[in-house]
């Protein structure tokens, strides 16, 4: 049904309120999720890098345990991946916001139906594996650095 076909003012008002609630809810939920994941990954990789540097400084050598420089590189690459993932996530949010705004403008102009709006919204929220690759890459760097440290400390 096109927007102009809604004759009942209460139904029209309900539709506008739904549009507003849906937009705010989806956008806030996605933004919060991306933000929390990025904070976690940044914290663990930064903390690992600082701990490695601190251990190197305390032992007065760059090899306090075997593989310490490799650990540091993995932690730093993890930090870089978090930053890149946040950039990609920000542009993804911008794309979702733009798609929603454009759809609603077209709906209000009777260029598309409500079903078209919902279909476009579903399409814009399809999973983005690019952000996942950066997130899992950062987490993998953290795990790899821990493994290197564990082998260096407890290995033979």
């Amino acid at each position: 049904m096109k927007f102009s076909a809604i004759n009942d003012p209460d139904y029209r008002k309900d539709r506008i309120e739904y549009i507003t609630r849906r937009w705010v809810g989806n956008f806030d939920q996605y933004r919060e999720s991306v933000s929390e994941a990025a904070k976690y990954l940044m914290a663990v990789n930064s903390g690992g890098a600082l701990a490695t540097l601190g251990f190197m400084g305390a032992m007065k050598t760059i090899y306090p345990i075997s593989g310490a420089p490799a650990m540091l590189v993995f932690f730093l690459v993890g930090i870089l991946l978090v930053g890149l993932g946040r950039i990609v996530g920000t542009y993804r949010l911008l794309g979702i916001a733009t798609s929603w705004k454009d759809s609603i403008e077209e709906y209000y102009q009777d260029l598309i139906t409500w079903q078209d709006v919902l279909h476009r919204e579903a399409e814009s929220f399809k999973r983005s594996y690019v952000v996942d690759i950066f997130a899992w890459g950062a987490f993998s760097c953290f795990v790899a650095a821990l493994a290197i440290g564990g082998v260096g400390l407890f290995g033979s």
Side-chain angles (χ1 to χ4, degrees):
M1 172 185 301
K2 292 195 174 185
F3 188 66
S4 64
I6 302 173
N7 296 322
D8 180 3
D10 290 333
Y11 187 69
R12 185 180 279 245
K13 181 182 172 208
D14 288 344
R15 176 66 51 94
I16 292 170
E17 287 175 359
Y18 172 82
I19 289 169
T20 303
R21 277 193 322 271
R22 184 76 175 156
W23 165 244
V24 169
N26 283 343
F27 186 76
D28 286 349
Q29 184 179 25
Y30 183 77
R31 186 182 62 202
E32 173 97 13
S33 176
V34 168
S35 178
E36 291 303 310
K39 285 178 193 175
Y40 168 76
L41 291 169
M42 185 64 83
V44 297
N45 280 297
S46 297
L50 290 173
T52 302
L53 285 171
F55 195 57
M56 291 169 141
M59 303 308 272
K60 308 247 189 274
T61 176
I62 62 168
Y63 294 102
I65 57 173
S66 65
M71 287 173 55
L72 184 58
V73 168
F74 273 108
F75 286 133
L76 294 175
V77 169
I79 292 168
L80 176 68
L81 290 173
V82 170
L84 292 172
R86 291 214 48 153
I87 291 168
V88 170
T90 298
Y91 278 103
R92 176 156 166 68
L93 285 174
L94 178 62
I96 291 169
T98 302
S99 174
W100 178 258
K101 182 184 79 62
D102 292 346
S103 292
I104 295 304
E105 286 175 359
E106 290 177 28
Y107 175 66
Y108 286 153
Q109 295 170 12
D110 285 333
L111 300 173
I112 62 174
T113 65
W114 182 244
Q115 288 73 24
D116 294 329
V117 171
L118 296 178
H119 176 72
R120 286 182 181 182
E121 180 189 27
E123 288 296 312
S124 72
F125 271 93
K126 282 191 174 176
R127 187 170 194 89
S128 170
Y129 291 103
V130 176
V131 173
D132 290 354
I133 289 168
F134 284 116
W136 283 106
F139 185 70
S140 297
C141 285
F142 176 70
V143 171
L146 289 182
I148 290 168
V151 169
L153 283 174
F154 306 112
S156 46

